[in-house]
Amino acid sequence: MKKTSRPSASLAFRLALSLAAVVGACLAVTFVAVYALMVSNAHRRVDEQLRHEVSEVASLLSPQGVEALEGPLARLAQAEGTDLVCYRVMDRVGAVLAKTDTASWQWLTINRQALAAATREQPYYESVLRNTKEGEARVIYAVLSDDRILQVAIRTFHELEPLRDLRHRFLVIGAFGVCLAIGVGWIVAKRALVPLEAVTDTALTIAEGHFEARMKPESRDIELERLAGAFNAMLDRIQSFVRELRDLNDSLAHDLRTVLARIHLAAERLLSSRPIAEEQESLAVSIVEESADLLGTLNTIMDLSEINTGVAQTQFSSVDVTALMVELCEFFEVTATEKGIALEFDSTDHAVISGDPNRLRRALANIVDNAVKYTSRSGKILVKVRSENEVVAVSVEDSGVGIPEEALPYIFERFYRADKSRSREGHGLGLSLAAAIVNLHGGNIQVQSEEGKGSAFTISFPRPPSTLG
Ligand code: ADP
């Protein structure tokens, strides 16, 4: 039997993706938290350095006032590098009283709000971003004596650059973690879904007619063992129901057939007895006909239910479909000619399939019979057999009454008859039996029809691999 190779691929994939999403989210939260902590630590270290700078400048204050600070400040800045640090002393309105070389600090503005907010106890801190490439500066506004404000700015490049590097590493680790989670999630989900595959495979095996198929009950997991047990118990119950029903059907059909056969025989005996009254003769004839018809219908119903329930006994052999259709055309030609219908046959080769010859004959005969039955005088029927690629196609086209569009979806159902007037013989079982037999052979049956113009039935059977060129 054909095993399902990817029965729950999408479910497994969705589970793997969900796991990856959870792992991704956890990693993102962790990385963001760690990164924020490290940035805040780095700022704390820079702020400590800024406070140290402020106390150093405060210790340089002399009685000559802040204006005398310019020289010592310049030395301080030069010692650390004027592009890395900058000092400015100003009053509360931002007028600069002393400053170091600010050539590389033109971009750093004076924050009026900071000037107003800074107090002797609580200096004001801010981070100012120059640009993404050159990074930011950390700035302190601290109150010196006599209400002068000292602004010290330090480039945080050295402190924050390693963190930026860390950000890239986090991204790479995160991407790797997500891929790993997808892989692991996929494997875990596939393993977890193995029991589902077993259920599906068992169900498919049963659908193919192997009613004895069961799931293996032994499993390492107690839940799966219970699932297998429950599934098997359900199948046992259904199978015993089906068996009971089949036995009942069989005995009922057998009894009915026996009674009908007896009635048939009795009516035939009555017919052959002489002398026989005219009225009795016509009654006997109709009993013979009706019982034969009923017997035929009963056989068809039995055959149909055996095929549909998958219990039909089949004996497949090599069947020459072309020869079979020639034989059927010859058989129906008599009736067709009587009705003035031209029955043509067309085939270029001998198409061979593997099948049950008797059932195939019944199925195809029903189609040709219908074509003759539903085609009026001077009509035409064309029967074709073709071997095309991997299929053998039999088509039966007629120029008959056609099938109304609204009836087309139902014509393969049991007891359905599109011809509501019931002017022609039939019980509406021919096409359902034909379709069941075609299905049994792995083929399919299609119909195209236009009311008043005719119908075309196409039956395709798979060609056995040995006949493929
Ligand atoms: P029936 O015994 O009524 O022919 P079938 O199962 O063989 O039962 O066909 C079902 C219905 O499909 C028929 O009653 C008829 O209305 C329609 N049908 C089948 N074949 C043809 C055809 N070749 N042309 C027109 N109608 C058709």
Side-chain angles (χ1 to χ4, degrees), residues 323-341:
L324 179 62
M325 291 313 288
V326 169
E327 180 194 319
L328 287 176
C329 286
E330 280 169 4
F331 179 80
F332 284 102
E333 195 157 23
V334 183
T335 331
T337 316
E338 274 172 16
K339 283 182 78 179
I341 298 169

Side-chain angles (χ1 to χ4, degrees), residues 306-318:
E306 275 182 10
I307 295 172
N308 286 342
T309 52
V311 295
Q313 305 282 333
T314 47
Q315 276 182 342
F316 275 33
S317 58
S318 207

Side-chain angles (χ1 to χ4, degrees), residues 72-388:
L73 281 184
R75 279 192 294 281
L76 262 183
Q78 259 155 16
E80 290 179 41
T82 50
D83 54 340
L84 295 180
V85 64
C86 141
Y87 301 84
R88 272 192 283 219
V89 181
M90 57 199 85
D91 59 16
R92 286 276 181 190
V93 290
V96 177
L97 309 168
K99 65 179 171 74
T100 55
D101 179 2
T102 53
S104 52
W105 291 92
Q106 298 300 334
W107 54 276
L108 182 67
T109 53
I110 294 168
N111 183 344
R112 309 270 157 198
Q113 195 193 335
L115 289 178
T119 62
R120 200 173 266 277
E121 296 73 32
Q122 188 60 54
Y124 186 95
Y125 298 92
E126 70 174 354
S127 297
V128 184
L129 184 73
R130 184 175 182 191
N131 56 44
T132 44
K133 198 158 158 261
E134 289 177 66
E136 59 169 41
R138 189 77 177 153
V139 186
I140 189 171
Y141 293 82
V143 178
L144 289 176
S145 60
D146 53 16
D147 211 22
R148 297 295 189 241
I149 311 286
L150 169 66
Q151 180 200 45
V152 186
I154 295 182
R155 296 282 298 277
T156 55
F157 182 81
H158 295 295
E159 291 287 343
L160 292 182
E161 189 54 26
L163 293 186
R164 194 165 303 165
D165 197 36
L166 201 68
R167 223 157 54 186
H168 292 133
R169 272 168 208 222
F170 278 173
L171 274 180
V172 173
I173 295 171
F176 178 72
V178 167
C179 291
L180 195 70
I182 291 180
V184 172
W186 172 260
I187 293 168
V188 171
K190 285 297 276 182
R191 286 199 58 184
L193 294 175
V194 163
L196 261 193
E197 293 185 20
V199 174
T200 313
D201 285 343
T202 312
L204 282 175
T205 313
I206 293 169
E208 284 173 5
H210 307 285
F211 294 100
E212 67 297 336
R214 294 290 180 270
M215 275 181 77
K216 288 198 188 78
E218 71 276 2
S219 166
R220 278 177 297 148
D221 307 309
I222 197 146
E223 295 88 346
L224 306 183
E225 206 174 308
R226 284 193 61 208
L227 170 71
F231 190 68
N232 290 346
M234 179 191 75
L235 291 176
D236 288 343
R237 191 96 184 91
I238 294 173
Q239 199 181 9
S240 86
F241 271 139
V242 171
R243 212 172 281 140
E244 271 173 38
L245 215 62
R246 204 173 62 212
D247 291 349
L248 184 76
N249 266 355
D250 282 353
S251 49
L252 209 67
H254 182 261
D255 290 355
L256 269 177
R257 260 189 246 177
T258 317
V259 174
L260 273 173
R262 266 200 236 122
I263 295 173
H264 189 84
L265 204 70
E268 274 183 339
R269 276 218 200 105
L270 186 67
L271 263 182
S272 55
S273 64
R274 292 280 173 252
I276 180 168
E278 202 176 315
E279 196 183 340
Q280 277 176 336
E281 188 177 11
S282 90
L283 270 175
V285 167
S286 72
I287 292 173
V288 167
E289 281 173 3
E290 294 291 337
S291 57
D293 184 42
L294 214 56
L295 218 52
T297 307
L298 205 62
N299 283 336
T300 307
I301 294 172
M302 290 298 297
D303 212 15
L304 200 54
S305 72
E306 275 182 10
I307 295 172
N308 286 342
T309 52
V311 295
Q313 305 282 333
T314 47
Q315 276 182 342
F316 275 33
S317 58
S318 207
V319 180
D320 184 335
V321 180
T322 314
L324 179 62
M325 291 313 288
V326 169
E327 180 194 319
L328 287 176
C329 286
E330 280 169 4
F331 179 80
F332 284 102
E333 195 157 23
V334 183
T335 331
T337 316
E338 274 172 16
K339 283 182 78 179
I341 298 169
L343 177 57
E344 274 179 37
F345 178 76
D346 176 33
S347 174
T348 47
D349 53 3
H350 270 271
V352 176
I353 64 164
S354 166
D356 180 329
N358 291 330
R359 285 204 167 91
L360 283 173
R361 184 176 291 107
R362 280 189 83 183
L364 296 166
N366 278 337
I367 308 289
V368 185
D369 184 29
N370 278 347
V372 177
K373 201 159 72 174
Y374 296 102
T375 302
S376 330
R377 191 155 282 283
S378 332
K380 233 181 112 178
I381 297 172
L382 176 60
V383 177
K384 277 195 277 189
V385 180
R386 292 270 185 278
S387 295
E388 295 161 348

Side-chain angles (χ1 to χ4, degrees), residues 424-436:
R424 291 171 179 88
E425 285 179 3
H427 299 285
L429 284 172
L431 282 185
S432 45
L433 181 68

